[in-house]
Amino acid sequence: MRNFHAILSALLLAGFVRAETATMTVPTVELICKFNTHDKEMPRTFKIGQGFQRIGDYLYITTPMDGTIQYFKWNAQTSKISYVDSVTNPVVDGQTLCAAGGRMYGLGLNVDPRPVREATGFTWYDIEKETGKPIVKGSLPEIGGWGNLITSPDEKDLYFVGSGIQMYWMKIGADGTPTKSASFAGAGIRGNLRMSPDGKNIYSINEGKIGIVDRKPTGEIAYKKAIPLNVPVTDPEAMRLDATPTIAGISPDGRWLYIEVYSGHPRTPCHFNIFKRDPETGDLAFSEGGSDYDPKYNKLATLPFMNLIFAPDGKSGFISTGGDLLQTFRYDEKTGHLTDITSVIVPTDKFGPCLNVSYDAKNNLLFGLGWWQHYAYGDVWNGFWVAKTGTAPAPQRDRSDIKATHAAADAKVTNTDDWPCWRGIHGDGKSPLKGIRKDWTGGLKEVWRVSGLSPVSATWSAPTIKGDKLVVLGKHGWTDEALCFDADKGGEPLWVTQLPGTNGGDSWAGGPTATPYIDGDKVYLSQSNHYVCLNVADGKVVWKQNSFSTGHAPGHSPLVWEDLVILPNVITPDNKWPWLKQVQLCALNKNTGVQVWGYQENSKLRFESYTSPLLLKIDGKDQVVYTATGYACGLDPRTGKPFWEYVLDPKYTTGGLGSPAPLTDGSNLVVSPGFRIAADPASEKDKIPAVVKIENGQAKTVWEGEYRNMWSAGILKNGFVYSFCSDGLYNGARSTFRCVDLLTGTPKWVQANTGSGSLVEVDDYLLCLTYGGDLWLLIPTPDGFKKVTEWTVPLKHENWVVAGAPDIPILPFWTVPVIAHGRLYVRYSDVMICYDLLK
């Protein structure tokens, strides 16, 4: 998708003037209109746009899917965008649009892979004043390429990089006809062009070098030289394949130039460089920089296709990086530092990285085009957004938009049982709480709730509670967050720690899905490409370790044992390439983050999962048990050496990455894959290994059956397994709830058409939360499905937007409920609610 991104041209924002008071002000953004490919009036052929340009009230998009320019009209009176028409576009792929003198110019590939018509590389258009229709006036078929076009301040000269990495200068005539005046090649020259505010220099970037071009007042340009970026190459192959260097901007005084190198790869960090510019010569000298592992730069270095938008006061502005996210900043002209970076959410139905942005200085409006892609199915959608800009006092704390309602004024808690980690203190999903309320008529009593945990991306991390502290993970824009609340009173967060994240374009789980582990005065968590240790008291980072994800967002919860923290999918440094060596399971010293042991399965098969290790007692030994799709093992927690390993037949490993948490009675272990494609697709009764017996270091199959639940594990009680079984995809009508004999696999009973869900045990009952938001209280008995009471959580469901999952009409309740201190904690992406289970 990278080639679809036109590098955003520098924008000047009007109306952001420093306040005359001591209160710091920052730019604000308020969404007033959005228009996407789901709207009925959008043409069906329109799936994704590449070039975007605004001229007056008209918006223009090049669409490679059908080789047209679609154009739309913005109505300032109604604050709406409407589709007008489309015209044939001579350039099929990759066109970037640019406006000069009320006309439009386009650059794209000059090779058409489809033999429909001859493709053209460079084209210019007139615009009909009454209708906004673009009319082709001329073209240069021999010139083409990827990249942006920039104009001189007087809009009489045009510059771009075409085929062969040639920089072109076009002189624009009085009738709008461009004339090829000069071209040249050189190191560092490619499509990402920026002109200095004084018009003396043009800068480009390519293959780790910044190209410097001199420009005369007549418009004439001459290649000067290239200087290297200051980016440590930790993995040359990954950097070569995935790194995207971008000139993010030049300060309005022309003294500082900013470079971002977005790796897009877990093996290599992202980097942010600041170069000092000599206004007289245009030369650049590296000043400072850092990677996303440096807290000073992590918000700047992890967001691709960065564009700095400076305000007229020269002291503040925006960072444009995504269709649903802008960031505000303050600019220090003495050091070039960008400080006080604050995310501003523009909720646009998950439109991802902006293809382009246009600013209306007269009306203080931002126009943006963004795309959103669901990686699981390859669905790509486009949409516009329009936002009103202004100023406001700087927030006094991080995430001031988190709303706390129904905070408990009096938090008298008599039950102090904690739930400090995934599946509770014993890893079996069971709470020791007794004496819960058995009649939910009228609903459960709400103690407190908070919202704003993940205002755009779907995030499913479950909370963990120890003492009076509750820690949960969220997401704000592209930034992952760890948030700490008073577990009993709720209210505003005690602290919020922001961590470098990813774009969250995968709506299955755009944010972290893992559950933190609170141990003593530390909390351990899994977030985008990192495991992190924080202080519980203040949220400060103690240490950080690289990780990789094999599922939808980071879903692996840490396991703490004695002085170790045990983590799956760790990238450990070796002597050759840091960030390169991937290890299936790794134990680190929990205080220092130093590796103690690593484990890699011996099989040649690759086993993937986003499940978490658990400490279970099996065969008389405490062991770390880890399951993946088609694989299970039990390890010595001190050394990492395997007590036993178990590999399923490859025919059972073809279905997704999910593998529910293992259940055990001390000898037998439930290892069923969560969901899979049957060996015989025509057979819905294809049996799979579900339970193995661990004895004397050997794992042997006990039985095969139809038992298969999805991500949430069941509950093992008195020799029977109770669980939701996903016979249909996700929440299909065929999904059931059943009771299965652990030793034989015989279903004692099956309750049909329940849909899917998760469950925990409390007070000798099963507390179930369905994907539809229904809470059940069941009696765990092999004599049949016995429901004691039920109630529906009063939360509005979000719309599900994935065409590939038609059996989920709404975004499900995926977070497993948590029970601590006599209370039930329910998380639904952006919202978390605490209910009293005793009163």
Side-chain angles (χ1 to χ4, degrees):
M1 299 300 299
R2 182 175 301 128
N3 287 336
F4 291 163
H5 290 74
I7 304 302
L8 307 179
S9 59
L11 304 172
L12 291 178
L13 295 179
F16 300 125
V17 181
R18 181 187 293 273
E20 296 292 333
T21 66
T23 302
M24 180 185 296
T25 61
V26 294
T28 60
V29 178
E30 178 187 359
L31 183 72
I32 60 176
C33 173
K34 58 184 178 181
F35 182 82
N36 61 48
T37 52
H38 296 298
D39 291 331
K40 293 181 180 180
E41 62 178 289
M42 185 76 86
R44 292 186 178 181
T45 55
F46 182 69
K47 269 289 191 177
I48 183 169
Q50 291 176 231
F52 169 71
Q53 183 61 51
R54 188 178 67 89
I55 300 177
D57 292 333
Y58 290 93
L59 310 172
Y60 302 88
I61 299 179
T62 59
T63 57
M65 296 293 183
D66 62 352
T68 64
I69 293 180
Q70 312 275 351
Y71 58 107
F72 306 78
K73 188 172 184 179
W74 159 253
N75 189 318
Q77 301 299 320
T78 62
S79 297
K80 291 183 179 182
I81 294 173
S82 59
Y83 173 72
V84 180
D85 203 350
S86 66
V87 297
T88 299
N89 179 16
V91 179
V92 176
D93 286 320
Q95 189 173 47
T96 300
L97 299 176
C98 177
R103 299 178 177 90
M104 192 162 65
Y105 300 83
L107 174 70
L109 292 181
N110 57 0
V111 177
D112 186 355
R114 296 162 293 181
V116 177
R117 54 188 167 80
E118 181 181 356
T120 303
F122 181 80
T123 311
W124 56 98
Y125 311 82
D126 276 349
I127 304 297
E128 286 187 351
K129 292 184 179 180
E130 279 93 15
T131 65
K133 181 179 180 180
I135 301 173
V136 177
K137 300 300 291 184
S139 62
L140 296 174
E142 72 277 9
I143 298 177
W146 290 106
N148 62 321
L149 298 92
I150 59 174
T151 62
S152 57
D154 60 8
E155 298 188 352
K156 293 182 179 180
D157 300 287
L158 190 67
Y159 305 93
F160 61 89
V161 176
S163 302
I165 317 301
Q166 294 276 324
M167 179 175 282
Y168 288 87
W169 166 38
M170 295 281 192
K171 198 72 177 177
I172 301 176
D175 63 352
T177 302
T179 302
K180 179 181 174 183
S181 301
S183 68
F184 55 79
I189 300 299
R190 202 169 183 178
N192 181 204
L193 301 181
R194 291 277 185 172
M195 185 179 292
S196 59
D198 55 19
K200 292 182 178 180
N201 301 100
I202 297 174
Y203 300 91
S204 184
I205 192 167
N206 186 28
E207 294 185 348
K209 294 181 179 180
I210 306 171
I212 304 175
V213 176
D214 286 337
R215 179 182 178 274
K216 296 181 180 181
T218 60
E220 183 181 353
I221 55 174
Y223 180 75
K224 186 174 185 180
K225 62 179 177 180
I227 64 171
L229 288 175
N230 194 284
V231 177
V233 181
T234 56
D235 182 353
E237 184 67 12
M239 186 64 78
R240 181 183 70 82
L241 293 174
D242 297 281
T244 304
T246 300
I247 301 178
I250 303 176
S251 61
D253 55 17
R255 298 176 57 190
W256 305 96
L257 182 141
Y258 302 91
I259 300 287
E260 183 208 30
V261 180
Y262 176 72
S263 74
H265 199 291
R267 297 180 183 177
T268 57
C270 305
H271 291 268
F272 188 78
N273 282 189
I274 302 176
F275 286 83
K276 190 169 185 178
R277 176 179 177 268
D278 187 326
E280 296 298 323
T281 66
D283 289 342
L284 302 174
F286 177 75
S287 175
E288 65 175 76
S291 75
D292 58 358
Y293 302 128
D294 184 343
K296 186 176 181 181
Y297 298 104
N298 62 25
K299 291 184 183 179
L300 296 170
T302 58
L303 305 172
F305 321 112
M306 180 186 295
N307 181 51
L308 301 182
I309 306 166
F310 285 90
D313 66 356
K315 304 297 183 182
S316 63
F318 284 112
I319 304 171
S320 171
T321 49
D324 56 13
L325 174 68
L326 293 171
Q327 292 176 298
T328 62
F329 66 85
R330 302 293 298 180
Y331 162 64
D332 186 333
E333 60 184 6
K334 294 182 179 179
T335 63
H337 290 167
L338 306 181
T339 62
D340 301 311
I341 298 171
T342 304
S343 294
V344 179
I345 296 295
V346 183
T348 57
D349 291 341
K350 298 183 175 65
F351 299 144
C354 280
L355 300 178
N356 216 324
V357 170
S358 177
Y359 177 63
D360 181 345
K362 180 180 179 180
N363 299 298
N364 291 335
L365 295 175
L366 283 174
F367 292 81
L369 167 70
W371 59 267
W372 182 86
Q373 179 180 18
H374 190 282
Y375 302 108
Y377 293 107
D379 296 332
V380 181
W381 304 316
N382 260 114
F384 299 108
W385 55 265
V386 184
K388 187 77 175 178
T389 62
T391 58
Q396 299 300 308
R397 62 178 177 85
D398 286 338
R399 296 299 312 283
S400 58
D401 56 335
I402 294 178
K403 298 178 182 179
T405 58
H406 302 176
D410 183 13
K412 294 181 180 179
V413 177
T414 57
N415 183 290
T416 57
D417 292 316
D418 293 325
W419 193 283
C421 56
W422 169 240
R423 290 192 54 82
I425 191 63
H426 299 296
D428 55 7
K430 299 182 179 182
S431 166
L433 179 66
K434 301 294 182 182
I436 68 170
R437 176 182 162 193
K438 314 275 189 321
D439 182 2
W440 295 348
T441 302
L444 296 173
K445 178 184 178 182
E446 183 174 317
V447 181
W448 57 259
R449 80 163 61 191
V450 295
S451 61
L453 301 179
S454 187
V456 174
S457 298
T459 305
W460 307 110
S461 168
T464 48
I465 297 100
K466 188 173 180 63
D468 61 350
K469 298 294 191 299
L470 178 152
V471 178
V472 69
L473 304 184
K475 193 172 188 67
H476 190 250
W478 287 29
T479 301
D480 292 346
E481 293 181 327
L483 306 100
C484 182
F485 296 89
D486 186 306
D488 301 320
K489 296 181 180 180
E492 295 182 350
L494 304 176
W495 50 258
V496 178
T497 297
Q498 297 185 324
L499 301 161
T502 58
N503 71 341
D506 182 355
S507 75
W508 305 104
T513 59
T515 299
Y517 197 123
I518 304 177
D519 178 70
D521 61 352
K522 302 289 192 300
V523 57
Y524 305 88
L525 54 95
S526 170
Q527 53 95 207
S528 300
N529 297 332
H530 295 100
Y531 289 107
V532 185
C533 172
L534 307 176
N535 285 324
V536 173
D538 54 18
K540 291 183 178 179
V541 177
V542 179
W543 55 257
K544 188 184 295 186
Q545 172 65 50
N546 301 331
S547 68
F548 64 96
S549 175
T550 57
H552 302 301
H556 310 91
S557 300
L559 169 65
V560 178
W561 178 80
E562 295 187 354
D563 61 342
L564 301 179
V565 56
I566 299 161
L567 311 165
N569 292 19
V570 175
I571 301 177
T572 62
D574 59 22
N575 294 329
K576 190 175 183 181
W577 308 123
W579 299 284
L580 179 59
K581 187 177 180 181
Q582 298 181 349
V583 178
Q584 190 85 32
L585 284 171
C586 188
L588 310 180
N589 181 289
K590 69 180 184 180
N591 297 312
T592 65
V594 175
Q595 181 178 339
V596 176
W597 57 256
Y599 165 79
Q600 193 74 27
E601 81 281 341
N602 295 321
S603 171
K604 294 182 180 179
L605 297 173
R606 179 173 180 176
F607 300 105
E608 295 183 332
S609 175
Y610 46 93
T611 52
S612 307
L614 290 174
L615 185 72
L616 303 175
K617 184 178 286 294
I618 304 176
D619 201 18
K621 304 181 184 71
D622 284 335
Q623 48 191 277
V624 176
V625 178
Y626 181 72
T627 59
T629 303
Y631 183 77
C633 64
L635 309 180
D636 186 330
R638 176 55 60 192
T639 66
K641 294 182 178 180
F643 291 129
W644 55 270
E645 296 173 302
Y646 181 77
V647 180
L648 275 70
D649 188 296
K651 71 179 181 180
Y652 300 121
T653 66
T654 56
L657 302 175
S659 182
L663 310 173
T664 185
D665 63 355
S667 176
N668 299 285
L669 187 74
V670 179
V671 296
S672 171
F675 65 110
R676 87 284 174 257
I677 301 171
D680 178 8
S683 172
E684 295 185 6
K685 297 184 178 299
D686 182 37
K687 295 183 178 181
I688 57 176
V691 172
V692 298
K693 187 176 183 63
I694 313 299
E695 192 173 37
N696 299 324
Q698 299 292 320
K700 298 181 179 180
T701 301
V702 176
W703 55 263
E704 296 180 341
E706 300 168 34
Y707 171 86
R708 48 184 179 274
N709 65 316
M710 261 186 107
W711 302 286
S712 175
I715 293 294
L716 175 58
K717 188 173 182 64
N718 299 328
F720 297 96
V721 178
Y722 301 88
S723 69
F724 289 95
C725 287
S726 302
D727 297 331
L729 180 63
Y730 304 111
N731 202 30
R734 292 176 297 163
S735 295
T736 63
F737 193 91
R738 63 182 62 190
C739 170
V740 177
D741 190 306
L742 174 69
L743 299 182
T744 67
T746 304
K748 301 302 291 184
W749 51 262
V750 175
Q751 183 70 19
N753 303 322
T754 60
S756 297
S758 58
L759 67 158
V760 293
E761 181 184 329
V762 57
D763 201 9
D764 292 325
Y765 292 88
L766 302 178
L767 189 150
C768 307
L769 175 62
T770 71
Y771 285 177
D774 296 322
L775 280 168
W776 303 338
L777 194 64
L778 307 180
I779 299 175
T781 172
D783 296 332
F785 181 79
K786 297 185 178 181
K787 186 183 296 182
V788 177
T789 189
E790 64 181 322
W791 178 61
T792 300
V793 178
L795 274 176
K796 182 180 179 181
H797 297 190
E798 298 180 25
N799 290 329
W800 184 255
V801 294
V802 180
D807 59 341
I808 313 182
I810 54 174
L811 206 58
F813 278 76
W814 262 327
T815 303
V816 179
V818 166
I819 296 173
H821 302 182
R823 285 160 178 187
L824 171 68
Y825 298 84
V826 177
R827 165 82 182 272
Y828 182 72
S829 191
D830 188 53
V831 181
M832 181 170 55
I833 309 177
C834 172
Y835 294 107
D836 195 325
L837 272 181
L838 300 176
K839 298 180 181 180

